[in-house]
Amino acid sequence: MGNRAGGRRTGPKCIAIVGPFASGKTTLLEAILARTGIIPRQNPVSSGNTVSDHSPEAKAHAMSVEASVATIDFMGDSLTFVDCPGSVEFAFESDAVLAASDLAVVVAEADEKKIPALQLILRKLDDLGVPRILFLNKIDRTAAGVRDTLKLLQPASSAPLLLRQIPMRRDGVVIGSIDLALERAYVWRDFAESEVTDIPNDEKAREIEARFSMLETLADHDDLLMEQLLEEREPPKDEIFDDLSADLRDGLVTPVLIGTAEKGNGVLRLLKAIRHDAPDVAATARRLGVKEGDAAIVQVMKTIHTPHGGKLSVSRILSGSVNDGSELWMSPNESARISGIYRLLGKDQAKLGSAKVGDTVALGKLDGVKTGQTLTNAKGGTRQLVDLDPPQPVYAFSLRPKERKDDVRMSAAIQRLAEEDPSLTLRQNQDSGETVLSGHGEMHLRVTVERLEGKNQIPIDVRPPAVPYRETIRKGVVQRGRHKKQSGGHGQFGDVVLEIKPLPRGSGFQFTDTITGGVVPKQYIQSVEAGVRDFLKSGPLGFPIEDIAVNLSDGSYHPVDSSDMAFQMAARLGMKEGLAQCLPVLLEPIMKVEIATPSDATARITALVPQRRGQILGFDARPGWPGWDVVEATMPQSEIGDLIIELRSATSGVATYRATFDHMAELTGRLADQAMSQHAGGKAA
């Protein structure tokens, strides 16, 4: 492969800031804003005054709970940064953002415990094909050498981690960095621009060794550079920068820059690397499959419902341009008109008249438009570029407004929240009548409830959702059910003989009749079945009944007093009296669970499963995930409710699981008594 001169790409860029929880992403953005003069000073996250963590929920928990957007001008270029949450519970927030971003800055630190979380992030970037720079943060606290740190982090990355800077130390303390491409030294000054100096004599040998290692990696993809190294000729600096940029763009390397965001150290060099090396919007559009043309293509990255301005769709303009008032098409039959275009800086908005290719802006009041959708000004719509696939929920709350009058308001508010966060799932449990909200962890749902109560002023009662217990019978019986009532005029008469017997597990319900001689007229047989089915909704233990067969074998009728309702009542009476003799027993749902976990935590996970009445089926390496396992088990659904909390506690916050229904199993003794008591208490409430 020959030398790939690229030159600097210009135009607006969009950069996602990602990384494990508490790695310093919000601090880095705050440092960028302060260094570029957008804000007067850099505020720590603990102050609650950062541009990014501006929502009440982010301030209350001192963590990012949603993606936040900030657009700046730097050296004549427009750069939009999107600070994405680090917690795995809010990870889906970044999917639509990353898809339309030109580059990801991955903020990491030398912490072995965070490597699995880093691996999750880098794996997502691989899947989406997004180029990335790794910013090795908190370098002043790193006791290990920087190359030892890279050896620690390299297993998380599919592409080689390419060191572009090395720390400069004095008396064991990091005082600055040496840029291996520029061959310059920078002495850091807290919250100020670094001082450029010559490389100290005692650092030169280390710099030469590290620089040669960087060039060797670049030469793997550049024959001319390889030739220059073999002939011990010094390659021109502009060619080195072109190689760095091209290899980054092609995903062949992950350049590593160093700094301490908390003090603003290393931030300016990072900005300059982004400005020079980040691909432009044309490369991102090609990655997403946008065909060249005159039409505007708009990719929606996030949805926000503001208290006063209504709905905003944070969007990247991948081609063309849009104006305030432009009509955008979602599909051949659906369109919406832009009402306001805004440049964002956290919660602050600046109104614009138009947006051009590359811009990341908020488009006002696009009703019906969802996060992840692709819009166009070409009538009829366009192909959807991004397929958002939320992971299976792992935690759920049953929600109920404290005041019944808020039922409708709560439903509408939850729908708005689900628009903002498509990873939320809302459903109505037909058995229990509950409104069940599902998400990706306790904090995820807690923040959602806080938004319901804070932003929407709706007090909410929260409880674990009901487990869908069932009941069945252990033996059969033949039972007569007779309903007879005389109250002047026509009376009521229905008489049935029911043969009730258990069926194998999973059979459901079967109804038959062996009536002969018309002792129960045909028009009333359906009435008997309807009465039986109605009774099965709640059996002797209080739960729906299954795995049961009922045969109508005999009965009698009255030519005047018999009716549909009379035979339904007779059937219900026969079921009530008969089932009490059939040894009713509770059934609980058993789920098949697949737990994805880092391998070093597999033993902890396999020990945890039996504590929750689970049974290990086996475990194996997770395909395509070095250092991860998948543990397969069966576990009662009642034990899964808060399983994710314990899994993540055992795995530094990264384990997850998928659960599917497997079978129903008998539940007896104390646990059955507890289930029936809770069910009765829930009905009373």
Side-chain angles (χ1 to χ4, degrees):
M1 192 182 300
N3 181 273
R4 298 161 297 165
R8 190 173 74 80
R9 288 158 294 283
T10 59
K13 292 184 171 68
C14 182
I15 297 94
I17 302 178
V18 296
F21 175 68
S23 56
K25 298 174 296 300
T26 298
T27 301
L28 176 61
L29 179 56
E30 192 77 1
I32 288 170
L33 297 176
R35 182 54 50 86
T36 53
I38 304 299
I39 57 176
R41 66 180 180 278
Q42 180 178 336
N43 293 303
V45 171
S46 58
S47 71
N49 293 318
T50 61
V51 169
S52 185
D53 288 350
H54 54 79
S55 72
E57 297 78 29
K59 292 179 181 180
H61 298 290
M63 62 180 286
S64 298
V65 296
E66 60 196 335
S68 184
V69 182
T71 299
I72 67 169
D73 293 315
F74 176 67
M75 297 179 68
D77 285 343
S78 174
L79 301 177
T80 296
F81 291 92
V82 186
D83 178 16
C84 298
S87 167
V88 69
E89 298 191 24
F90 300 94
F92 185 72
E93 181 88 3
S94 66
D95 282 22
V97 171
L98 287 169
S101 294
D102 303 318
L103 178 80
V105 173
V106 183
V107 184
E109 57 186 302
D111 185 347
E112 191 172 10
K113 292 180 181 177
K114 292 186 178 180
I115 289 177
L118 180 63
Q119 188 178 10
L120 291 177
I121 293 161
L122 294 175
R123 177 63 179 249
K124 182 178 291 184
L125 295 175
D126 284 344
D127 291 345
L128 295 171
V130 180
R132 77 295 308 257
I133 289 174
L134 191 141
F135 182 72
L136 188 55
N137 193 23
K138 308 178 186 178
I139 195 69
D140 59 334
R141 303 181 199 169
T142 304
V146 70
R147 280 179 287 184
D148 288 338
T149 298
L150 257 59
K151 288 179 183 176
L152 181 74
L153 300 180
Q154 182 61 66
S157 176
S158 60
L161 297 178
L162 182 71
L163 197 59
R164 275 198 59 172
Q165 298 170 327
I166 59 174
M168 189 164 54
R169 301 177 189 268
R170 183 180 297 160
D171 299 327
V173 177
V174 178
I175 62 165
S177 67
I178 298 172
D179 191 297
L180 301 177
L182 286 170
E183 292 191 288
R184 291 180 191 161
Y186 296 86
V187 177
W188 290 336
R189 295 184 296 178
D190 292 354
F191 310 110
E193 191 168 340
S194 301
E195 177 188 347
V196 182
T197 69
D198 293 330
I199 299 173
N201 290 330
D202 59 353
E203 297 279 6
K204 281 186 177 178
R206 201 163 60 92
E207 184 271 339
I208 290 170
E209 181 188 356
R211 186 171 190 269
F212 186 77
S213 177
M214 177 189 77
L215 295 177
E216 274 190 315
T217 301
L218 294 175
D220 288 340
H221 312 290
D222 186 338
D223 296 339
L224 178 58
L225 178 58
M226 179 66 76
E227 184 180 321
Q228 290 167 337
L229 293 181
L230 290 173
E231 295 176 358
E232 297 185 356
R233 286 188 288 132
E234 179 63 26
K237 281 190 172 62
D238 60 345
E239 291 183 11
I240 294 173
F241 278 108
D242 287 342
D243 273 349
L244 282 166
S245 180
D247 285 1
L248 164 69
R249 185 174 65 247
D250 295 341
L252 300 174
V253 299
T254 298
V256 178
L257 284 81
I258 64 174
T260 298
E262 191 176 34
K263 299 175 181 177
N265 296 332
V267 169
L268 193 58
R269 295 308 312 157
L270 174 64
L271 277 169
K272 289 183 177 180
I274 290 169
R275 178 176 178 267
H276 184 277
D277 296 341
D280 60 9
V281 67
T284 301
R286 286 194 299 273
R287 168 166 57 80
L288 291 173
V290 175
K291 295 181 179 178
E292 292 188 16
D294 298 328
I297 302 295
V298 177
Q299 185 62 40
V300 181
M301 306 165 81
K302 179 175 171 60
T303 301
I304 306 170
H305 286 278
T306 65
H308 306 295
K311 180 180 177 180
L312 295 176
S313 299
V314 179
S315 306
R316 184 87 194 279
I317 314 301
L318 296 175
S319 70
S321 61
V322 296
N323 299 313
D324 196 357
S326 294
E327 186 176 21
L328 296 178
W329 292 80
M330 302 165 255
S331 69
N333 303 312
E334 295 178 287
S335 68
R337 195 170 296 279
I338 298 171
S339 179
I341 301 177
Y342 305 92
R343 174 170 160 152
L344 297 179
L345 184 67
K347 65 181 177 182
D348 296 328
Q349 306 164 13
K351 193 161 188 180
L352 306 171
S354 62
K356 64 182 183 299
V357 62
D359 284 341
T360 303
V361 293
L363 305 177
K365 299 180 180 177
L366 293 179
D367 293 336
V369 170
K370 298 176 181 177
T371 297
Q373 278 192 303
T374 308
L375 315 175
T376 179
N377 60 358
K379 189 171 183 179
T382 186
R383 180 177 66 87
Q384 295 301 299
L385 302 176
V386 176
D387 181 20
L388 289 184
D389 185 18
Q392 185 188 63
V394 294
Y395 199 75
F397 281 158
S398 167
L399 305 181
R400 185 172 63 182
K402 290 185 177 179
E403 298 186 32
R404 187 168 292 277
K405 64 181 179 63
D406 288 330
D407 263 335
V408 175
R409 286 182 60 224
M410 185 186 80
S411 295
I414 292 175
Q415 293 297 339
R416 288 193 297 271
L417 290 176
E419 268 198 283
E420 293 183 334
D421 182 358
S423 69
L424 291 170
T425 303
L426 185 70
R427 65 180 177 87
Q428 288 295 130
N429 186 323
Q430 298 301 319
D431 288 338
S432 65
E434 295 174 311
T435 299
V436 179
L437 183 70
S438 303
H440 302 290
E442 183 185 26
M443 180 62 74
H444 185 207
L445 293 192
R446 191 190 307 170
V447 166
T448 302
V449 171
E450 287 171 3
R451 286 174 177 156
L452 275 174
E453 295 191 317
K455 186 188 291 188
N456 299 280
Q457 299 295 303
I458 304 172
I460 301 290
D461 275 331
V462 174
R463 65 180 64 188
V467 175
Y469 292 106
R470 296 291 185 263
E471 58 181 272
T472 191
I473 55 175
R474 287 174 166 166
K475 73 167 193 174
V477 73
V478 177
Q479 179 65 45
R480 174 167 245 115
R482 178 185 288 248
H483 175 67
K484 183 177 182 181
K485 190 173 182 182
Q486 194 71 39
S487 56
H490 286 309
Q492 297 179 35
F493 182 84
D495 177 33
V496 297
V497 176
L498 303 176
E499 297 174 348
I500 305 168
K501 64 179 182 180
L503 289 176
R505 197 73 68 239
S507 301
F509 168 65
Q510 294 177 9
F511 179 83
T512 55
D513 78 273
T514 51
I515 294 296
T516 57
V519 291
V520 176
K522 284 187 176 180
Q523 68 265 30
Y524 296 139
I525 293 176
Q526 288 184 340
S527 305
V528 175
E529 181 177 356
V532 170
R533 287 185 177 276
D534 187 54
F535 185 82
L536 293 180
K537 294 176 183 177
S538 180
L541 306 181
F543 297 92
I545 307 169
E546 59 183 39
D547 300 339
I548 185 173
V550 177
N551 178 61
L552 173 62
S553 61
D554 201 357
S556 61
Y557 75 102
H558 189 281
V560 176
D561 292 345
S562 287
S563 65
D564 168 67
M565 184 56 66
F567 271 98
Q568 285 196 41
M569 291 297 296
R572 286 183 56 83
L573 286 169
M575 293 296 293
K576 181 179 180 180
E577 294 170 3
L579 285 177
Q581 307 169 53
C582 290
L583 303 181
V585 63
L586 200 62
L587 296 176
E588 66 171 343
I590 306 297
M591 313 296 283
K592 184 175 182 181
V593 183
E594 294 182 354
I595 302 169
T597 174
S599 300
D600 61 5
T602 299
R604 292 194 291 275
I605 300 304
T606 54
L608 181 156
V609 169
Q611 296 170 14
R612 290 175 173 264
R613 297 193 290 130
Q615 181 178 354
I616 300 289
L617 301 178
F619 65 90
D620 205 346
R622 188 179 186 185
W625 286 75
W628 283 67
D629 289 332
V630 174
V631 177
E632 293 189 353
T634 55
M635 188 179 295
Q637 185 174 338
S638 61
E639 300 286 349
I640 288 178
D642 61 353
L643 173 66
I644 193 63
I645 298 173
E646 200 165 357
L647 289 179
R648 288 185 175 149
S649 176
T651 60
S652 300
V654 295
T656 190
Y657 72 86
R658 292 184 60 84
T660 53
F661 174 77
D662 193 71
H663 65 279
M664 300 295 286
E666 290 188 9
L667 180 66
T668 58
R670 179 179 56 84
L671 292 174
D673 293 341
Q674 287 179 355
M676 289 184 283
S677 176
Q678 289 171 1
H679 181 67
K683 280 191 169 183

